[in-house]
Amino acid sequence: MIEQYITVEYDETIKMIGVVSDTHIPSRARFLPPVLFKALDGVDLILHCGDLVKEKIIDELAAIAPVEAVSGNMDPPELKKRLGRLKLIQIGRTAIGMLHGDITGRRVPFRHVASLFAPNKLQAVVFGHLHEPVNEEYKRMLFFNPGSAVDPRHGFSPTCGVLHVDEQKISGEIISL
């Protein structure tokens, strides 16, 4: 059974959202790279899409902006319990579904993700797990994976992402670090 999502509401003053995932501190890197902090400077909110491994990553990122995080498959049980696996980030009328990407032990196909957040109509889904960036639309919904700032895969360089939110649309930008 897939757990229910947690809803977190922000007002429409949130315009720029930093997105990170798969930091795996300290198993894949000892610390977050300083260039990540520079890339996220000025964002209004940060979303971490799981596999933090150590909770202190939330505190480190919170020095830049408020942080919302979900747990991933590599996170310890106490962090999984505290963070949950699914969040709905509501920014004014913009709804963003957030997950790691491995619900029930396997990847969730794009066409099924929106059903996890029913009855809400999502404008975007942010996720991790792949360690490679994704920035594409499917049925007028943005699917966005920031890749990994510390452990990229399949020939990708370290990356993070930024979402730009306005009343009409949400768009994503992948940032090479």
Side-chain angles (χ1 to χ4, degrees):
M1 183 175 139
I2 297 173
E3 68 185 67
Q4 292 291 77
Y5 57 85
I6 299 164
T7 301
V8 183
E9 295 186 22
Y10 289 90
D11 66 31
E12 54 279 331
T13 60
I14 303 289
K15 299 295 182 191
M16 198 162 75
I17 303 170
V19 186
V20 296
S21 186
D22 298 287
T23 48
H24 292 275
I25 305 293
S27 59
R28 307 270 168 85
R30 292 184 324 185
F31 51 84
L32 293 172
V35 68
L36 175 64
F37 292 90
K38 186 174 181 179
L40 297 177
D41 187 39
V43 301
D44 302 310
L45 177 67
I46 296 173
L47 305 180
H48 194 301
C49 298
D51 280 358
L52 299 91
V53 181
K54 290 288 185 188
E55 189 171 0
K56 72 175 186 163
I57 297 307
I58 295 171
D59 295 332
E60 290 177 20
L61 291 171
I64 301 168
V67 177
E68 294 294 338
V70 292
S71 65
N73 56 297
M74 300 298 290
D75 290 319
E78 65 274 5
L79 200 53
K80 286 179 181 180
K81 184 177 180 182
R82 183 169 119 22
L83 297 177
R85 308 269 293 171
L86 299 168
K87 279 192 180 175
L88 175 69
I89 309 299
Q90 191 74 46
I91 299 169
R93 289 193 262 161
T94 301
I96 302 169
M98 183 177 172
L99 68 156
H100 183 58
D102 65 322
I103 301 297
T104 68
R106 61 183 188 279
R107 285 177 32 192
V108 178
F110 282 176
R111 65 185 179 276
H112 294 217
V113 171
S115 68
L116 298 173
F117 296 94
N120 297 282
K121 181 168 175 23
L122 302 178
Q123 285 73 46
V125 173
V126 294
F127 62 103
H129 195 54
L130 302 178
H131 293 237
E132 57 188 72
V134 173
N135 185 13
E136 60 186 71
E137 280 196 29
Y138 177 78
K139 294 189 176 182
R140 290 190 262 166
M141 190 181 325
L142 176 66
F143 285 83
F144 191 81
N145 185 321
S148 176
V150 301
D151 187 30
R153 306 242 172 106
H154 307 110
F156 287 96
S157 64
T159 54
C160 67
V162 173
L163 297 176
H164 302 277
V165 181
D166 68 35
E167 293 176 15
Q168 306 300 317
K169 185 173 173 126
I170 187 166
S171 61
E173 173 186 2
I174 301 294
I175 300 171
S176 291
L177 301 175

